[in-house]
Amino acid sequence: MAVVSGLKSPEVLVPFLGLLYLVLVFLYVMISTNFAPFSLIFVPFMVLFLASAYGVWRRKKIGYVGSTVVSGVFLVLEGTQIFEALGAVTIPGEFFSVLTAFPVLLAIFVYSVLGLRRVWGKTTASTPVRMIPASSLVVLLILGFIIGGAVVGSIAASTETRLLSSSGGGDITIVQGAGSQNNPQFYSPSSFTVKAGTTVTWVNHDGTAHTVTSKGSSLFDSGNILTGGSFSYTFTHAGTYQYYCTIHPWMTGMVVVTAA
Ligand SMILES: [Cu+2]
């Protein structure tokens, strides 16, 4: 009886299901980006999340310690890098996963702390067991959605501002949604003709980072061009120069350089 009620308690179910959900979100991002190099940073986290979920399910101290630490660290990071990284990925369902990540993390963290206190107190049998009512969980999730929505909204707004402030100036535009394979266009124009000695400038008008990298040679490589950022290269010799994006290899374009 004690075991059954233990398995059903929210201190087990909330962190366990929450961690599994986030692992699925990571997996979704990885698959959606065709396992792009940057998405592989999720792999160690996925292992950590799965290990914590297993530990929580078995009601192990170490499981709750892991669950508390990973959710706590992610909550802190999410306002800054993780949110930016996830939010920068142009994939279908991106908004939903970013929006849900925050309340889920918050719920995992709170219930992990509670579970940790409970598991820790297991040796002292007299410790009274306090359960949180289900209504508190609902309030917690709603609160998380509001905070998550505000963060996503402000990131979207700042991205918009950066996009607007960087409008114009470039010869070739990296168009919005270029990271998605289904986008009709990536670099606009996809073929650009100049005379030798001309400096060509690419401007990134997409919400995610891209690169401009020469194909089959190491002639030029922009590195990550962030939203609103630009990259310039001067073509000195006539020829046809194919280039692509190392993050999204399906993004290709070319510059045709004619004799001066
Ligand atoms: Cu790209």
Side-chain angles (χ1 to χ4, degrees), residues 174 178-179 187 206 208-211 244-251:
I174 298 174
Y187 299 99
D206 190 21
T208 176
H210 295 286
T211 81
Y244 72 111
C245 170
T246 54
I247 306 167
H248 315 97
W250 54 86
M251 293 173 59

Side-chain angles (χ1 to χ4, degrees), residues 4 45 75 85 89 92 98 100 124 127 130 132 136 142 164 168 172 200 208 227 235-236 249:
V4 172
F45 290 115
L75 274 176
V89 181
V98 175
T100 54
T124 53
T127 311
R130 277 258 189 93
I132 311 187
S136 303
I142 291 171
L164 289 172
I172 302 170
V200 176
T208 176
T227 300
F235 291 88
T236 51

